[in-house]
Amino acid sequence: MACLWEDDVRAEGTTRVTWEIEQVGDSCHLTLTHDQMREGANSQIFGGWPMILSGLKTWLESGELLTTPGSLLYG
């Protein structure tokens, strides 16, 4: 993943995001791993994952989109 929205974030370079989905009965378990970033990396690279995953969970369970400002900005 390469974040390109600001010069200081762009300067961090690329990182790796891995999604693992495992079936659990009639549901699934999602594991997201975000690595290959430097120690002390800019939090803008990884800080949005809780909101993104929450929105994905809401959408999958209900079909409804989140209306939080971040969801509208980045959705």
Side-chain angles (χ1 to χ4, degrees), residues 1-47:
M1 178 171 85
C3 301
L4 305 175
W5 53 84
E6 290 182 5
D7 289 341
D8 58 334
V9 176
R10 185 180 293 116
E12 295 285 349
T14 58
T15 62
R16 178 176 59 190
V17 176
T18 305
W19 301 79
E20 296 178 62
I21 303 172
E22 301 173 65
Q23 187 166 352
V24 178
D26 63 352
S27 188
C28 68
H29 179 258
L30 170 67
T31 303
L32 179 134
T33 304
H34 189 174
D35 60 1
Q36 296 186 350
M37 68 184 88
R38 70 175 182 83
E39 182 78 26
N42 189 311
S43 65
Q44 289 186 51
I45 293 174
F46 57 84

Side-chain angles (χ1 to χ4, degrees), residues 50-60 64-66 71:
M51 181 181 60
I52 292 167
L53 295 174
S54 176
L56 175 62
K57 181 177 185 296
T58 297
W59 178 67
L60 290 172
E64 299 294 322
L65 298 178
L66 290 180
S71 300

